[in-house]
């Protein structure tokens, strides 16, 4: 069989079903029954229920047979009904075939009539043209008169009557054009002639439209004075809209659309309203930047008041005069929203200045508030119409504002620092606050400016608040570099002539307190302007997971570093005085053994400077005292371990050891008087060293040295050797061996950090 031949009917019906094997089915049924009976009669006592089982099976068999009979009967009825319907369908098909044969025979007999009736068809076409012309004849002859009358009605403001006459003229023209369009032989000459004849009709339509647009442009004024004008205009527009729709449907049937259609006057109506709103908003700008620096503030305020007044009229007066499908309140508000958005974008394109940007952002932020859209007499949800300004415009404005602010802050802080540096040269101490801590106006002035900018940013929005606060942090980090350089320069000038400036120490103390104030003010700004979940408590400030945390922590650390540097400069200043008094050089010398001038001078110098140090805020005061103790102790230990003094006998060692213990107590007491909160334990190393010197029995020296090394494990090999050699009763080789036995290999052991480690720096 070829692929083009149709398959036999048997193959189209699919594979034939397999014949039933009744013998096998009966055997399967008997086997299943045997299993079922075996399952029911597994125990002897179940034989008593055989009759019960028989009755149950008999009932079930009867039920199944009844169901089977019902199903077979139903199938037979269905087959019988199907056969009857097939018989009826076959009869219908036979009758239809006979009818089609009769139609075909009749068609063949009348086909020649098409040629013989051709002349009649031409006559009928001409008759239709004459009938259309006769029907519109009176309108054709009265066109000039109707045109003139319609013009007069338009000029007199009788718009409804004018529109009725215009509609009659358009219907006459359109009917004639449609009749010509339907003719098989279209004549361009006739179409052009009709077009010229009805030219003024289309001009009348434009003139009437102009009158309507003038009324709609003044809709908010007209609705309060002459609402009938609005009603009339909208009635005309809706009539034209219905005629547009009617002609669209006719066009689908005939393919003809009259000239000037569709007019789409409803669409034009909304366009006119949009243009009038845009003109109204632009007209509220009365001044320019050259005429008044506050031009934008005045313009935005006038716009706000104008918009509230207009929307009140729209909400109360327009719904009764407008068709419900216009949804005029929402539609008009949406137009206002769109026109206002476009106008604001044009303002942004004019490159607004700093304060103008703030005014605009503030106005946009208040748009969806009781000041405007949520005004009690308006109460519209601005979110329904989308954002007034897209996010990219807001970001652009904020970036411009931030750029200007950054420049202003940099200039302001630089000028403030310059003025503050001049104050450092004054012939008088700096001012003290209520707690007696010195300070200068520098942090207060800078943070007053920042506070003002933060208040403005808070009015605009929380997003800008975060950005401004981060900007302040960045700028203060930059400012900290300049501040630190000025302090270093101040210190260098003082080293050139230590008599100038006279109050160097006092202003250095003020700068220390200023650094602390910067951190305090910044934390205050964060707590005041950021939500609780947007900043961390002081205990969590070590967490630096986010960039924002890093910025704030870096700022605090930066100013803390400057404060510590200033503390170091103050200690340097004090140690210059100690060096000039030769007190440090006298330590551990023969002269030191005979008097206590060196330590007395150290304590007196500390007491003198301590009178000024009390004006440092506690956070840095404690750090300063702590570092001061370490420095004095380091100088004392260097003098001792440098072997400037070698003892000749035990008596000298004993006296010197007692003197060391006494002086350690004096210095410790001095620092405790200055800072009662500190324990002064740093000086406990001196009595321990004195015990090494005081020991008389050299056989116990190894034990004493071992105990000292365990107490101060950071001591180095050379330091321990020098301590042993200070006794004057041990050779260098023995001292080194003793130190080696005590410490082991110095280079192979990692040492903890302590006072002896600091001696190496």
């Amino acid at each position: 069989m070829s692929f083009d031949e149709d398959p036999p009917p048997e193959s189209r019906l699919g594979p034939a079903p397999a014949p039933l094997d009744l013998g096998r089915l009966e055997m399967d049924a008997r086997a299943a029954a045997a299993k079922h009976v075996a399952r029911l009669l597994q125990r002897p006592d179940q034989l008593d229920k055989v009759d019960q089982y028989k009755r149950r099976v008999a009932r079930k068999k009867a039920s199944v047979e009844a169901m089977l009979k019902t199903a077979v009967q139903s199938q037979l009825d269905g087959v019988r009904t199907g056969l009857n319907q097939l018989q009826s369908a076959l009869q219908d098909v036979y009758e239809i075939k006979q009818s089609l044969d009769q139609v075909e025979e009749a068609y063949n007999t009348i086909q020649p009539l098409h040629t013989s009736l051709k002349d009649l068809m031409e006559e009928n076409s001409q008759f239709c043209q004459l009938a259309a012309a006769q029907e519109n004849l009176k309108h054709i002859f009265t066109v000039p008169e109707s045109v003139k009358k319609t013009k007069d009605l338009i000029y007199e403001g009788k718009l409804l009557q004018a529109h009725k006459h215009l509609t009659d003229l358009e219907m006459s023209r359109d009917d004639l054009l449609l009749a010509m369009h339907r003719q098989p032989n279209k004549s361009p000459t006739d179409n052009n002639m009709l077009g010229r004849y009805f030219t003024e009709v289309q001009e009348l339509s434009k003139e009437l439209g102009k009158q309507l647009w003038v009324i709609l442009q003044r809709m908010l004024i007209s609705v309060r004075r002459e609402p009938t004008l609005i009603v009339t205009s909208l009635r005309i527009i809706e009539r034209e809209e219905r005629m547009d729709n009617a002609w669209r449907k006719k066009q689908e049937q005939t393919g003809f659309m009259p000239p000037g259609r569709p007019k789409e006057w409803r669409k034009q109506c909304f366009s006119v309203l949009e243009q009038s709103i845009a003109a109204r908003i632009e007209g509220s700008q009365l001044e320019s930047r050259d005429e008044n620096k506050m031009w934008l503030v005045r313009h935005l305020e006038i716009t706000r008041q104008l918009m509230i007044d207009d929307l009140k009229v729209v909400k109360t007066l327009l719904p009764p005069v407008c068709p419900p499908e216009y949804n005029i309140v929402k539609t008009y508000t949406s137009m206002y929203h769109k026109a206002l958005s476009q106008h604001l974008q044009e303002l942004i394109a004019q490159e607004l200045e700093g304060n103008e940007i703030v005014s605009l952002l503030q106005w946009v932020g208040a748009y969806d508030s009781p000041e405007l859209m949520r005004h009690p007499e308006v109460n519209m949800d601005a979110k329904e119409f989308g954002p007034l300004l897209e996010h990219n415009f807001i970001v652009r404005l904020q970036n411009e504002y931030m750029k200007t602010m950054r420049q202003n802050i940099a200039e302001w802080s630089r000028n403030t620092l310059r003025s503050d540096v001049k104050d450092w040269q004054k012939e008088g101490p700096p001012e003290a606050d209520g707690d007696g801590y010195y300070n200068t106006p520098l942090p207060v002035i800078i943070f007053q400016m920042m506070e003002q900018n933060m208040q403005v940013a808070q009015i605009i929005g929380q997003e800008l608040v975060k950005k401004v606060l981060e900007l302040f942090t960045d700028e203060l980090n930059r400012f900290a570099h300049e501040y630190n350089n000025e302090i270093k320069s101040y210190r260098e000038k003082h080293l050139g002539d230590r008599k100038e400036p006279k109050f160097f120490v006092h202003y250095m103390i003020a700068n220390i307190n200023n650094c602390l104030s910067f951190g305090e003010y910044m934390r205050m700004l964060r707590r005041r302007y950021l939500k609780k979940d947007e900043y961390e408590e002081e205990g969590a400030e070590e967490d630096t997971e986010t960039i924002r945390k890093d910025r704030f922590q870096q700022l605090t650390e930066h100013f803390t570093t400057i404060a510590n540097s200033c503390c170091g400069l103050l200690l340097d200043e004090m140690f210059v005085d100690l060096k000039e008094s030769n007190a440090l050089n006298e330590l551990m010398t023969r002269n030191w053994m005979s008097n206590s001038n060196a330590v007395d001078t150290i304590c007196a110098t500390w007491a003198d400077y301590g009178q000024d140090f009390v004006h440092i805020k506690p956070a840095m005061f404690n750090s300063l005292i702590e570092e001061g103790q370490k420095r004095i102790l380091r100088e004392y230990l260097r003098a001792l371990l440098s072997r400037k003094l070698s003892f000749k006998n035990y008596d000298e060692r004993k006296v010197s050891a007692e003197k060391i213990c006494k002086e350690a107590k004096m210095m410790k007491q001095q620092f405790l008087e200055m800072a009662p909160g500190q324990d002064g334990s740093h000086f406990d190393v001196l009595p321990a060293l004195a015990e090494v010197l005081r020991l008389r029995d050299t056989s116990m020296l190894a034990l004493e040295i071992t105990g000292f090394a365990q107490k101060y494990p950071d001591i180095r090999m050379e330091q321990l050797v020098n301590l042993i050699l200070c006794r004057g009763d041990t050779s260098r080789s023995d001292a080194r061996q003793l130190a080696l036995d005590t410490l082991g290999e110095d280079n192979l052991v990692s040492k903890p950090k302590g006072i002896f480690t600091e001696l190496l720096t």
Side-chain angles (χ1 to χ4, degrees):
M1 181 182 69
S2 67
F3 288 106
D4 296 334
E5 295 178 357
D6 293 333
E10 294 79 2
S11 63
R12 291 199 298 269
L13 295 176
L20 294 175
D21 189 351
L22 296 179
R24 186 175 58 82
L25 291 176
E26 184 178 1
M27 291 177 61
D28 292 342
R30 287 180 179 278
K35 289 181 182 179
H36 182 64
V37 170
R39 191 164 54 251
L40 291 176
L41 304 176
Q42 291 181 355
R43 297 189 304 274
D45 60 333
Q46 290 177 329
L47 293 173
D48 298 337
K49 299 181 180 180
V50 170
D51 293 337
Q52 182 180 351
Y53 292 152
K54 285 181 178 180
R55 288 194 297 271
R56 184 188 303 170
V57 171
R59 285 197 303 271
K60 188 173 181 181
K61 179 181 178 183
S63 175
V64 170
E65 287 177 350
M67 291 174 61
L68 183 60
K69 288 179 181 179
T70 302
V72 170
Q73 183 64 39
S74 176
Q75 289 292 328
L76 289 174
D77 292 343
V79 170
R80 186 181 297 112
T81 302
L83 290 173
N84 290 334
Q85 290 177 348
L86 287 172
Q87 182 64 33
S88 176
L90 182 61
Q91 183 64 29
D92 291 342
V93 169
Y94 178 73
E95 292 176 358
I96 290 171
K97 185 176 183 303
Q98 286 182 332
S99 298
L100 288 175
D101 292 341
Q102 293 173 2
V103 169
E104 185 176 4
E105 183 179 352
Y107 177 76
N108 291 331
T109 59
I110 66 172
Q111 187 174 9
L113 288 176
H114 177 73
T115 304
S116 61
L117 293 177
K118 184 175 181 182
D119 295 337
L120 180 61
M121 291 172 62
E122 293 178 356
E123 289 295 329
N124 179 64
S125 175
Q126 293 177 3
F127 175 80
C128 290
Q129 290 181 355
L130 290 173
Q134 186 176 2
E135 184 180 350
N136 293 282
L137 194 58
K138 62 179 181 178
H139 296 298
I140 293 173
F141 286 127
T142 59
V143 165
E145 181 182 350
S146 297
V147 167
K148 184 177 183 305
K149 188 174 182 179
T150 305
K151 281 184 180 179
D152 294 339
L153 290 172
I154 292 174
Y155 293 148
E156 292 171 7
K158 300 177 181 179
L159 302 182
L160 279 176
Q161 298 179 34
H163 184 254
K164 183 178 181 306
H165 285 76
L166 176 62
T167 303
D168 292 340
L169 288 168
E170 288 180 337
M171 288 178 63
S172 299
R173 178 197 64 185
D174 298 343
D175 288 345
L176 288 170
L177 291 173
L178 178 59
M180 294 183 66
H181 176 76
R182 286 173 172 169
Q183 300 304 315
N185 298 321
K186 300 176 183 178
S187 173
T189 304
D190 293 343
N191 283 334
N192 293 336
M193 180 182 66
L194 272 177
R196 288 194 300 270
Y197 189 74
F198 284 95
T199 299
E200 291 187 83
V201 175
Q202 199 160 347
E203 294 298 325
L204 281 177
S205 178
K206 293 180 181 179
E207 188 64 31
L208 179 60
K210 289 180 181 178
Q211 295 298 319
L212 298 179
W213 311 145
V214 171
I215 293 171
L216 292 176
Q217 283 175 347
R218 305 174 68 251
M219 175 180 273
L220 297 184
I221 299 174
S222 300
V223 77
R224 283 180 278 195
R225 297 177 182 176
E226 296 181 88
T228 53
L229 286 176
I230 304 298
V231 176
T232 298
S233 300
L234 295 179
R235 285 179 63 185
I236 294 172
I237 290 171
E238 287 307 300
R239 287 177 183 176
E240 290 292 342
E241 191 71 15
R242 287 193 291 272
M243 283 189 279
D244 281 347
N245 293 333
W247 274 110
R248 287 191 183 97
K249 292 179 181 178
K250 283 186 180 180
Q251 186 184 25
E252 294 176 359
Q253 300 170 358
T254 64
F256 172 75
M257 178 65 73
R261 292 281 178 192
K263 293 184 180 180
E264 296 185 334
W265 276 9
R266 182 190 289 181
K267 181 179 179 181
Q268 181 66 18
C269 165
F270 290 140
S271 177
V272 168
L273 290 179
E274 288 181 347
Q275 293 172 9
S276 66
I277 293 171
R280 197 165 174 78
I281 293 174
E282 291 177 3
S284 63
Q285 182 176 340
L286 306 178
E287 301 165 314
S288 64
R289 184 183 295 125
D290 297 335
E291 297 170 340
N292 189 342
K293 294 296 182 182
M294 302 296 291
W295 68 277
L296 184 59
V297 175
R298 294 189 59 186
H299 173 44
L300 293 175
E301 177 59 21
I302 293 172
T303 302
R304 184 187 71 84
Q305 295 176 0
L306 182 68
M307 190 170 180
I308 292 175
D309 293 340
D310 288 352
L311 293 182
K312 284 194 296 185
V313 173
V314 169
K315 195 170 183 180
T316 56
L317 300 181
L318 283 187
V321 301
C322 294
E325 59 268 23
Y326 278 28
N327 194 5
I328 191 62
V329 175
K330 183 176 180 180
T331 302
Y332 200 97
T333 307
S334 177
M335 291 178 184
Y336 228 123
H337 180 87
K338 181 179 177 182
L340 185 59
S341 176
Q342 184 63 36
H343 180 65
L344 294 182
Q345 292 177 28
E346 292 173 358
L347 290 177
I348 294 172
Q350 297 178 14
E351 301 296 334
L352 298 177
E353 297 177 353
N355 292 333
E356 296 170 354
I357 294 175
V358 172
S359 300
L360 183 56
L361 286 173
Q362 182 178 347
W363 197 89
V364 172
Y367 180 69
D368 190 21
S369 74
E371 295 182 17
L372 212 166
M373 295 298 284
R374 298 287 185 176
H375 190 278
E377 297 185 62
V378 177
N379 197 22
M380 300 288 288
D381 186 4
K383 296 177 182 177
E384 187 177 354
F385 309 106
L388 183 60
L389 282 178
E390 294 295 335
H391 187 65
N392 60 318
F393 285 100
I394 298 295
V395 171
R396 174 182 170 185
L397 283 175
Q398 289 181 352
N399 290 340
E400 288 293 330
Y401 176 63
M402 298 284 283
K403 179 180 178 182
T404 303
M405 184 189 296
R406 187 184 298 276
Q407 295 172 350
N408 292 340
I409 290 175
E411 182 179 357
W412 182 271
S413 59
R414 193 172 292 112
N415 293 336
T416 305
L417 178 58
R418 193 177 296 118
S419 175
D420 203 67
V421 170
K422 290 181 181 179
D423 292 342
W424 299 351
Q425 311 295 330
K426 285 184 177 180
E427 292 295 325
E431 296 181 358
D433 60 16
D435 296 322
Y437 303 129
Y438 288 149
N439 58 69
T440 67
L442 178 65
V444 175
I445 293 174
I446 289 179
F447 274 92
Q448 280 179 348
M449 178 196 63
M450 292 184 176
E451 176 79 18
Q452 293 171 2
N453 284 279
M454 290 299 299
Q455 291 174 357
V456 172
Q458 191 176 39
I459 295 174
I460 295 173
Q462 189 64 23
E463 181 182 356
L464 186 61
V465 167
K466 295 179 185 178
K467 291 183 178 180
V468 171
L469 197 55
E470 290 182 354
L471 181 145
F472 287 162
T473 308
D474 294 340
E475 284 302 306
L476 281 178
N477 268 310
R478 180 201 55 78
F479 170 78
H481 287 287
E482 297 181 0
Y483 188 35
N484 192 31
N485 291 336
E486 290 293 345
I487 291 175
K488 290 179 179 178
S489 177
Y490 182 59
R491 164 65 173 170
E492 290 172 0
K493 291 179 181 178
H494 175 70
L495 290 178
D497 183 0
R498 295 191 66 232
K499 295 181 180 179
E500 295 294 335
K502 183 177 179 181
F503 293 92
F504 169 79
V505 172
H506 303 75
Y507 279 99
M508 289 300 294
I509 292 173
N511 284 318
I512 293 173
N513 293 333
N514 285 349
C515 291
L516 298 178
S517 296
F518 277 112
E520 293 169 2
Y521 282 137
M522 203 65 207
R523 286 191 293 271
M524 178 188 67
L525 285 180
R526 290 173 62 193
R527 289 191 175 92
R528 184 178 301 173
Y529 292 102
L530 292 183
K531 297 177 182 178
K532 289 185 178 181
D533 58 347
E534 293 176 325
Y535 70 86
E536 298 73 33
E537 295 296 333
E538 289 186 18
E541 286 185 358
E542 296 302 320
D543 185 9
T544 56
E545 293 180 359
T546 65
I547 295 176
R548 182 167 59 83
K549 293 178 190 175
D550 286 342
R551 285 174 171 166
F552 290 124
Q553 187 171 6
Q554 287 175 5
L555 176 63
T556 302
E557 291 176 352
H558 202 161
F559 278 106
T560 302
T561 301
I562 296 174
N564 286 324
S565 175
C566 291
C567 289
L569 295 178
L570 285 178
L571 292 176
D572 291 343
E573 181 71 10
M574 186 191 70
F575 272 82
V576 169
D577 287 343
L578 288 176
K579 289 178 180 178
E580 290 180 352
S581 67
N582 208 34
L584 298 177
N585 292 332
E586 284 187 5
L587 290 173
M588 296 301 148
T589 61
R590 290 289 173 181
N591 192 29
W592 168 80
M593 292 178 61
S594 60
N595 59 69
S596 60
N597 291 340
V599 174
D600 289 342
T601 302
I602 291 173
C603 292
T605 303
W606 261 108
D608 183 36
Y609 274 89
Q611 296 177 5
D612 295 325
F613 291 165
V614 295
H615 297 288
I616 301 175
K617 291 182 178 180
M620 278 297 129
F621 174 78
N622 293 329
S623 176
L624 176 68
I625 298 302
E626 179 82 8
E627 181 60 26
Q629 292 182 65
K630 291 181 179 179
R631 283 203 185 188
I632 290 294
L633 182 58
R634 286 198 295 268
E635 293 296 333
Y636 205 102
L637 289 174
R638 283 194 183 98
L640 178 62
L641 298 178
S642 62
R643 295 177 57 209
K644 293 193 294 182
L645 176 64
S646 294
F647 301 110
K648 298 179 180 179
N649 51 52
Y650 171 73
D651 292 335
E652 286 186 354
R653 287 205 316 273
K654 180 181 178 183
V655 171
S656 297
E658 292 174 351
K659 185 175 178 60
I660 291 172
C661 293
K662 179 181 177 182
E663 290 179 347
K665 185 176 181 181
M666 286 176 58
M667 290 187 289
K668 181 176 181 178
Q669 185 64 32
Q670 177 64 40
F671 281 105
L672 289 177
E673 290 177 1
M674 292 178 64
Q678 298 191 11
D679 58 8
S681 59
H682 296 293
F683 292 101
D684 292 345
V685 67
L686 295 180
L689 285 170
E691 289 301 321
V692 176
L693 298 178
R694 184 184 300 176
L695 184 66
R696 184 166 191 170
D697 187 357
T698 55
S699 62
M700 300 293 293
L701 183 59
L703 181 62
E704 185 69 29
I705 291 295
T706 301
F708 182 84
Q710 290 176 350
K711 190 174 183 180
Y712 298 97
D714 64 310
I715 191 168
R716 305 294 170 154
M717 176 71 72
E718 289 301 322
Q719 293 170 343
L720 189 57
V721 169
N722 289 338
L723 175 60
I724 297 171
L725 291 176
C726 281
R727 290 171 50 85
D729 60 351
T730 307
S731 65
R732 172 169 288 279
S733 59
D734 293 340
R736 179 167 293 280
Q737 185 61 45
L738 183 58
L740 184 62
D741 293 341
T742 303
L743 299 179
E745 291 294 337
D746 190 40
N747 295 331
L748 300 179
V749 180
S750 66
K751 297 289 186 179
K753 292 184 179 180
I755 186 62
F756 290 101
T757 306
E758 294 175 4
L759 287 177
L760 300 176
T761 59

